[in-house]
Amino acid sequence: QVQLVESGGGLVQAGGSLRLSCAASGRTVRRSSMGWFRQAPGKEREFVGGISFTGVKTHYGDSVKGRFSISKDNAKDTVYLQMNSLKPEDTAVYYCAAQRPGTIGPMSLDSEYDLWGQGTQVTVSS
């Protein structure tokens, strides 16, 4: 099975920015709707953002809307999450995920995703 590999996490100060990358293979990004989720200590996994396999639709969680932006590069088979104006509350492990190829399911539901990356840690200091 193809893999998703996240990178770009790290430690930043509040107000700073990071860009996460999710490198796929087998044309996964072209064929599959993609999502970003995060999980902080003591909290449930939370939807961050998603993009349809067509690239036509994007969707964001309320807590990050206006600060985060998802994009993709089909040629590189890579999805990005640009995170600006970071807050300590954004501290979490961030996961990239792919839906079944050729489908556009509800992007905010983690049950719609069949393939997951290993996660990358983002820590925002106050």
Side-chain angles (χ1 to χ4, degrees), residues 15-18 38 46 48 60-70 81-90 94 124:
S17 298
L18 282 175
R38 67 187 183 186
E46 177 187 21
V48 176
Y60 299 95
D62 289 341
S63 64
V64 306
K65 194 173 300 181
R67 299 188 297 121
F68 291 10
S69 180
I70 190 170
L81 181 68
Q82 179 66 46
M83 305 186 295
N84 300 319
S85 301
L86 283 162
K87 305 174 181 179
E89 307 94 272
D90 296 318
Y94 283 71
V124 184

Side-chain angles (χ1 to χ4, degrees), residues 4-12 18-23 35-41 45-46 48 68 79-83 86 90-97 116-124:
L4 304 176
V5 180
E6 301 97 331
S7 62
L11 174 64
V12 298
L18 282 175
R19 189 178 74 160
L20 305 184
S21 297
C22 174
W36 286 94
F37 293 79
R38 67 187 183 186
Q39 188 162 26
R45 186 163 50 196
E46 177 187 21
V48 176
F68 291 10
V79 172
Y80 305 95
L81 181 68
Q82 179 66 46
M83 305 186 295
L86 283 162
D90 296 318
T91 295
V93 177
Y94 283 71
Y95 298 91
C96 177
W116 293 78
Q118 82 290 344
T120 185
Q121 176 71 46
V122 172
T123 303
V124 184

Side-chain angles (χ1 to χ4, degrees), residues 33-53:
S33 296
M34 307 293 296
W36 286 94
F37 293 79
R38 67 187 183 186
Q39 188 162 26
K43 299 185 66 176
E44 295 184 348
R45 186 163 50 196
E46 177 187 21
F47 173 72
V48 176
I51 185 168
S52 65
F53 74 89

